[in-house]
Each structure stands twice: as C-alpha cells, then as structure tokens.
Amino acid sequence: MDKKLNGKAVVKWLSENIIIVLIVLASIFVSTQNKNFLSQNNIRNLLSNTAVRFIIACGVSGCLITKGTDLSAGRVAGLAACLSGILMQKADYSSRFYPNMPELPLILVLLIVMAICGAIGAINGSVIAFLKVPPFIATLGMQTLVYGICLVYTGAIPIGGLRTDYTGLATGYIGTRMLSNLTIIAIVVGLIMWFLYNKTRYGKYMYAIGGNENAAEVAGINVNKSKIKIYMLAGLLYGLTGFLVCAKSGGCSVNTAQGWELEAIAGCTIGGVSVNGGVGTIPGILVGVLVFEVLKIVLQFLGVESSYTYIAQGLVIIIAVALDLRKYLAKK
C-alpha cells in the first residue's frame, strides 16, 4: 500500500515539476556531448546571469504571491540602468551626459536609483490598493509610461564611458574565481528576502493577503498599506537590478532589461510561486530562475537559432502557468 502511495507521490511530483525534470535531463545530455557545458567559465557566466535575474524575480514574487503581478519590472530596471549609467560616467568621457557634474560616490548613485524606482513601485501599489485598478492593467500602464520617460530623458542614445570602479563591481570576484560579486550580492538579497518572507509580519501579511484578501482584512491586516509596501520593495529590487545590469554590461540603453518581467514571472512560476496567490518560497524562486537560465544555455549548445529560443521560452512560460493552474484546480 505504501509503495503504491509512494509511486503516486512520485508521479504527482514529476507531473508538477515536468519542466525542471526535462531541462535537467537536457542538461545532462548536452554535458555528455560537449565538455565545455560544465566548464568553469560557463558555470561562472550561468551564476552571474542567474544572479541579476534572481534579484528582479524576488521583487516580482511578492506581487504574484498577493495574486497580483508587475509587468513594469523590466522597464523600471531599464530606467534604473540608464540612470546608473548616466551618473556613473567618467569625468573625462567626451560624450558625458552631464559634463559639469562631479563624480558621485558609487553608494550614493545606488541609493538615488533605488529611491526613484522604489517611488515608482509605491505608485504602482497605491494605484492598485486605493484606485482598485487590476495589477495587470496598472503595471502595464506603468511599463509604457516608464519606457516613454526613459526615451525622452535619454534621447534613446546608448550610454557608455562608465567608471572602472562601477564596472568592476559586476566583473570582480570575492575570494574565488567561481563566485562573482554579482553572485554574492544575489545571495545576500536572497537571505534578506527569505528572512522577510518567513520571519516578519511583512511576510505573514503578504501570504495572508494572497491566500484570502477578505479574510486578511477581517483579521485586522491593513491590506492597502501592505500592498504598497510589497510593490515599493519590488521597485527597490528593480532599481538594484538595473544598477548591476548596467555595470555588468559596461553600458546600457532604453532597451536594457526589456522583457525581463516575463522571465521573472516564468522563473517564479517554475519555482513554485502560484499565480493564484498565497504560495511561494525564495529557494524555489532561485531554482526556477536557475532552471530558466540553464534552458537558454542548453539551447545555445544544441545549436538552436536565437530566434527559436524565444519560442521555447514562451512555451515554457505558458506550460509553467498552465501547470500552476492545474495544481490550483486539483486542490479545489
């Protein structure tokens, strides 16, 4: 009897995590065909790419857990990247955006960028909480608004000439050649988010709102205030993401981080965050983002044209959400 139950449990787990299983199997196959797949350089690049996308996914996760979403994430991160790039240009760079501005401390620029993005997140949360605009519509509107502001502000001109202390933040390593500064920063962010989600009222209220918003309100939770906090924290994380992405790339443009909100949603969903709210963990999000990044590398090693990789990623997003909905309906 126990064996049958265990067998059913295994089949159920496999069906619910089929995307992870298939990508792991594909990775094993590719690693047997190409030794460079498991090379130190490839793994290091995988970890660095996962790091920045994990940070933006942490921001999106809170919105999803409360039965919301944030389609402005990528554009806000792109704005953050452009602001960071402009404020971190070399003093002697010929095409400097602000020729007479003195070089600002790196930490000050980070705080300025995160504050602006946090304010955008707070506006998202306020529109959703007080005006009762559905999160999909509110953040879609903000996505377009932020992109327009970024276009006007930068003139759609690529931004370069960045200071070495800034770019070195993303390309440097702490103690080992495997873990970059980006990876260490992502680990710290992950630990802070885990603490917030599991050990504070912020996390308890967030899960309660996602589980049953009406019941949470009856229980005395200030739902509107909590939503504003959740979207504001998401904005802060988008700001950090943009700051790091610009440093990592050595430059940026208005199209930096375009579409990253969909990758973040996919990573969250693959990692167990339910679009129906109330469910999701930070370790699960990390696994989901990592798996999604591995998928990209697997497709590259298999020689799939870049145009077709978007098709594969789109299918993964659809399947991940469909599986999540199936689990939700099964529970009902």
Side-chain angles (χ1 to χ4, degrees), residues 237-277:
L237 292 174
Y238 306 155
L240 176 59
T241 300
F243 181 83
L244 296 175
V245 168
C246 184
K248 180 176 180 290
S249 304
C252 60
S253 71
V254 292
N255 292 321
T256 297
Q258 181 178 2
W260 280 28
E261 65 279 351
L262 297 180
E263 293 186 18
I265 293 171
C268 288
T269 308
I270 293 170
V273 177
S274 176
V275 294
N276 293 292

Side-chain angles (χ1 to χ4, degrees), residues 114-138:
M114 289 184 68
I116 291 172
C117 294
I120 293 172
I123 293 171
N124 272 337
S126 298
V127 170
I128 292 166
F130 295 117
L131 301 182
K132 305 303 178 184
V133 178
F136 179 88
I137 301 299

Side-chain angles (χ1 to χ4, degrees), residues 19 292 295 308-322:
I19 294 176
F292 201 74
L295 169 65
Y308 289 98
T309 60
Y310 291 105
I311 296 175
Q313 291 172 33
L315 288 173
V316 167
I317 293 172
I318 293 171
I319 294 170
V321 174

Side-chain angles (χ1 to χ4, degrees), residues 75 141-155 254:
R75 291 303 189 186
M142 184 60 75
Q143 177 194 78
T144 307
L145 177 63
V146 169
Y147 183 54
I149 291 172
C150 196
L151 278 171
V152 172
Y153 178 60
T154 64
V254 292

Side-chain angles (χ1 to χ4, degrees), residues 86-150:
I86 288 170
L87 296 177
M88 294 302 297
Q89 287 180 316
K90 298 175 183 176
D92 59 352
Y93 183 55
S94 60
S95 300
R96 198 175 190 218
F97 200 86
Y98 295 118
N100 300 320
M101 185 182 71
E103 290 191 351
L104 301 175
L106 188 145
I107 188 65
L108 176 60
V109 173
L110 174 60
L111 292 175
I112 291 171
V113 169
M114 289 184 68
I116 291 172
C117 294
I120 293 172
I123 293 171
N124 272 337
S126 298
V127 170
I128 292 166
F130 295 117
L131 301 182
K132 305 303 178 184
V133 178
F136 179 88
I137 301 299
T139 58
L140 181 62
M142 184 60 75
Q143 177 194 78
T144 307
L145 177 63
V146 169
Y147 183 54
I149 291 172
C150 196

